[in-house]
DNA sequence: CTTGACCTTGACGCAGCGTCAACCCTGCAT
DNA sequence: ATGCAGGGTTGACGCTGCGTCAAGGTCAAG
C-alpha cells in the first residue's frame, strides 16, 4: 500500500494534483490507514498515470473521466474535438503575435497607418505638438467607430495640406501655441478658417461630411477633444461663429 | 459626457471589462453625476481603446499600463518579450496536439507501442483477457517508472513467446480462467512454471532481472497486480514456492 | 526527546472577465 | 400619477488547474 507521496511520485504528478483529482471526483478517495493517511493500491497508480497522460495532452480535466472508459469511436470523436479546440487556441495566439508585431510604438498605438502618415505631415508643416497629439486621439476614436472610412478621410486630409492656405493656418496656430491670449491673432485665424470653409463649401466638400459622420453624439465627442486643447479654443469658436460657421468636427453654415 | 455603456460601446469592450479595468487600476475612476452614474470624457475612450488594442494583442493586463506610456525602446523590449511568451504557449499547445494524436484508443492509453504489440501476441496465443489486462496495467506502471528499459524488456518477453513451453503455460492458464479452484491444474501450472524458471536460471536470464528492476518496493507493487487477478493466485504462489521459487515479478531461487 | 520528513484539512491566489442578484435612475407612454 | 423598459450601481460567485501558505498530527531515526 502506498502513501499519497509515493503514489504521486510513481505517477509523476504532484501531491496537490492528486488531492485536486479527488476533489473533482476524477480519482476515488481511497481507504485511510489508522492514522488517517490515504492508502493507495497499484490500480490507483495506473488510473493516475492515465489521467496524467490525457491531461498532458491538453484534455480538460472535466472530460478526462469521460475519455478514460470510452468506446473506441467515442474516444476518437472526443479527441478530434479536443484537437479542434487546441487548433483554435493556437490560431488565436498566432493572431495575437500578428497584432503584437504591428503595434508599432506606444505613441502610434491604436493609430492606423494612414493616420500616422498624416500626423507626420502635420508635424512637418509646423503644427504644434499639442495639436498633433489631439488630432491623433481624435482619429483613434474615429478609427474605432468607423474604421472603414479612415483611408478615404485621410486621403482627403492629406490633399488639403496641398492648399497653401491650410498650411498657413497651421503655422498661425503654431505661432500662438505658447500664448493663446492674443485676441488679434485669434481673429486672424478665424478669418483664415472662415475663408477655408468657404472654399470647402464651394467645392462641395462640406456636403460629403455627412456621409462620413452621421452620428451627432459622436460629433460632439470629437468636438470635445478640440475644446480640451486650450480654453482659448472656445474663444476661437466664438470668433468663427461670428463669421457664420458653427461646429468644429463637422462644419455648417449658420450665418451670412 | 458619456455613461459607462456609451464608453464601452465606443471603445468596443464590455461594460464589465471597463469596471474590471477600474478595479485593477488600469483606467481611472471618473467623476460621478448626481445620480451616482460614472461620467466619462473623450480621453477615457481613447485610453480604453489603447488598452483594448494591447489586450487583444495578448498583452497581460498587468503589463498594459507599463506599455501605455513607455519610451520606444522599452516598448519594443516589452513587446519582444511578450511575443516570446506567446511563442512558448503556442509550442506547448502544439506539443499537446502531438500527444493527442498519439493517444491511440482508451484501451491502449498510456501503453507504449512495444507493449501493445506484446499484448496482442499474448492474446493471439490464447492468454485470457483478464491476464492480458493485468499485464497491460503492470507495464503501464513500469513504463512510467523506467520508460527507457521498456523496449529491451519487451523484446525479451516477445522472444520468450517463441518457447513452446511458455505458450503452453498461457494456454493452461487460459483453461482455468473460468474455474480457478481445480488444485490439480494449479499444480500442473506450477510445475510448468518451475521448469521455465529453471531454464531461465540456466540461461542467466534471472540474473539480468536486477539490472532492470532495482527497486524492491516497486517489485512488491507489481506483484500486487498479479494478486488482484484472482484469490487463487495466492495458492499458485504457494505451489511455486514449494518448488523452490519465491517472488513473482522478480523470481529468486529459495529452495532445492 | 527531538528532528525532519511525511501526512491532514482549509483557504486564498491567479487571469479576465461572465453572469447572476438585488436595487436605484430616467425618460416615455398611458 | 403610474408603470414599464432600459439604463445604471455594488457585491459576489464561477471558471481552470493546481501552487502555496497555515496550522497542525504522524512516523522513523538518532
Amino acid at each position: 500500500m502506498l502513501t499519497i507521496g509515493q503514489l504521486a511520485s510513481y505517477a509523476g504528478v504532484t501531491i496537490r494534483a492528486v488531492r485536486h483529482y479527488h476533489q473533482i471526483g476524477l480519482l476515488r478517495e481511497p481507504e485511510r490507514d489508522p492514522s488517517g493517511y490515504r492508502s493507495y493500491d497499484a490500480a490507483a497508480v495506473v488510473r493516475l498515470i492515465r489521467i496524467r497522460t490525457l491531461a498532458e495532452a491538453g484534455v480538460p480535466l472535466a472530460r478526462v473521466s469521460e475519455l478514460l472508459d470510452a468506446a473506441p469511436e467515442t474516444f476518437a470523436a472526443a479527441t478530434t474535438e479536443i484537437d479542434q479546440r487546441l487548433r483554435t487556441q493556437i490560431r488565436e495566439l498566432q493572431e495575437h503575435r500578428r497584432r503584437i508585431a504591428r503595434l508599432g510604438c506606444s505613441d502610434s498605438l491604436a493609430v492606423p497607418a494612414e493616420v500616422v502618415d498624416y500626423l507626420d505631415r502635420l508635424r512637418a508643416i509646423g503644427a504644434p505638438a499639442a495639436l498633433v497629439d489631439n488630432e491623433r486621439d481624435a482619429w483613434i476614436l474615429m478609427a474605432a467607430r468607423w474604421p472603414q472610412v479612415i483611408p478615404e478621410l485621410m486621403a482627403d486630409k492629406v490633399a488639403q495640406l496641398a492648399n497653401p492656405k491650410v498650411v498657413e493656418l497651421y503655422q498661425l496656430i503654431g505661432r500662438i501655441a505658447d500664448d493663446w491670449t492674443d485676441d488679434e491673432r485669434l481673429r486672424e485665424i478665424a478669418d483664415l478658417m472662415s475663408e477655408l470653409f468657404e472654399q470647402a463649401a464651394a467645392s462641395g466638400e462640406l456636403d460629403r461630411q455627412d456621409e462620413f459622420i452621421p452620428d451627432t453624439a459622436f460629433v460632439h465627442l470629437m468636438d470635445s477633444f478640440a475644446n480640451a486643447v486650450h480654453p482659448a479654443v472656445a474663444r476661437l469658436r466664438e470668433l468663427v461663429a461670428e463669421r457664420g460657421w458653427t461646429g468644429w468636427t463637422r462644419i455648417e453654415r449658420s450665418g451670412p
Side-chain angles (χ1 to χ4, degrees), chain A:
Chain A
M1 287 307 178
L2 308 170
T3 68
I4 197 173
Q6 295 168 321
L7 168 76
S9 129
Y10 279 136
V13 305
T14 66
I15 293 178
R16 184 64 183 88
V18 175
R19 288 206 264 250
H20 184 58
Y21 298 157
H22 285 320
Q23 232 177 346
I24 64 177
L26 198 49
L27 193 63
R28 216 176 46 75
E29 280 272 5
E31 306 293 303
R32 306 298 182 109
D33 72 9
S35 67
Y37 287 14
R38 292 177 180 83
S39 175
Y40 298 91
D41 59 11
V45 186
V46 171
R47 178 155 176 107
L48 187 50
I49 289 171
R50 309 184 90 171
I51 291 172
R52 191 196 64 169
T53 305
L54 290 173
E56 283 180 348
V59 176
L61 292 187
R63 308 205 51 186
V64 165
S65 58
E66 160 200 343
L67 280 187
L68 276 181
D69 29 37
E73 323 84 52
T74 323
F75 189 90
T79 52
T80 331
E81 189 208 320
I82 290 164
D83 189 61
Q84 278 300 330
R85 244 184 5 91
L86 289 175
R87 284 174 61 182
T88 309
Q89 286 183 39
I90 289 174
R91 264 201 298 278
E92 280 167 7
L93 288 180
Q94 282 167 343
E95 173 64 20
H96 282 173
R97 287 198 65 200
R98 242 169 275 129
R99 283 169 188 264
I100 280 272
R102 285 188 312 182
L103 282 185
C105 68
S106 62
D107 194 55
S108 65
L109 194 57
V111 184
E114 297 93 339
V115 176
V116 171
D117 175 55
Y118 171 63
L119 296 177
D120 284 343
R121 288 167 195 261
L122 266 187
R123 261 184 285 262
I125 65 171
L131 184 146
V132 175
D133 283 0
N134 216 261
E135 284 280 311
R136 184 198 60 201
D137 286 357
W139 292 117
I140 286 177
L141 218 68
M142 178 75 77
R145 190 87 185 78
W146 288 291
Q148 69 284 1
V149 305
I150 288 290
E152 202 171 345
L153 271 173
M154 283 302 112
D156 279 13
K157 297 296 281 183
V158 169
Q160 281 175 20
L161 292 186
N163 183 342
K165 295 273 182 193
V166 172
V167 176
E168 198 190 329
L169 172 63
Y170 281 119
Q171 284 168 353
L172 269 177
I173 295 175
R175 241 168 281 145
I176 64 162
D178 312 318
D179 173 25
W180 288 80
T181 56
D182 185 339
D183 209 58
E184 173 86 27
R185 286 202 162 152
L186 284 179
R187 263 175 285 131
E188 238 180 288
I189 293 176
D191 285 337
L192 188 47
M193 289 179 75
S194 173
E195 195 182 333
L196 286 168
F197 292 159
E198 197 66 56
Q199 282 186 11
S203 68
E205 237 177 88
L206 290 194
D207 302 327
R208 292 177 49 208
Q209 295 178 120
D210 302 8
E211 303 167 28
F212 287 128
I213 324 170
D215 178 344
T216 311
F218 187 75
V219 169
H220 289 323
L221 192 61
M222 295 283 283
D223 283 2
S224 77
F225 271 115
N227 299 338
V229 174
H230 194 275
V233 169
R235 170 67 183 147
L236 184 57
R237 290 187 69 164
E238 224 176 86
L239 293 170
V240 173
E242 281 172 15
R243 284 156 183 76
W245 302 95
T246 59
W248 193 260
T249 302
R250 173 159 53 182
I251 304 299
E252 266 160 31
R253 195 190 296 270
S254 63

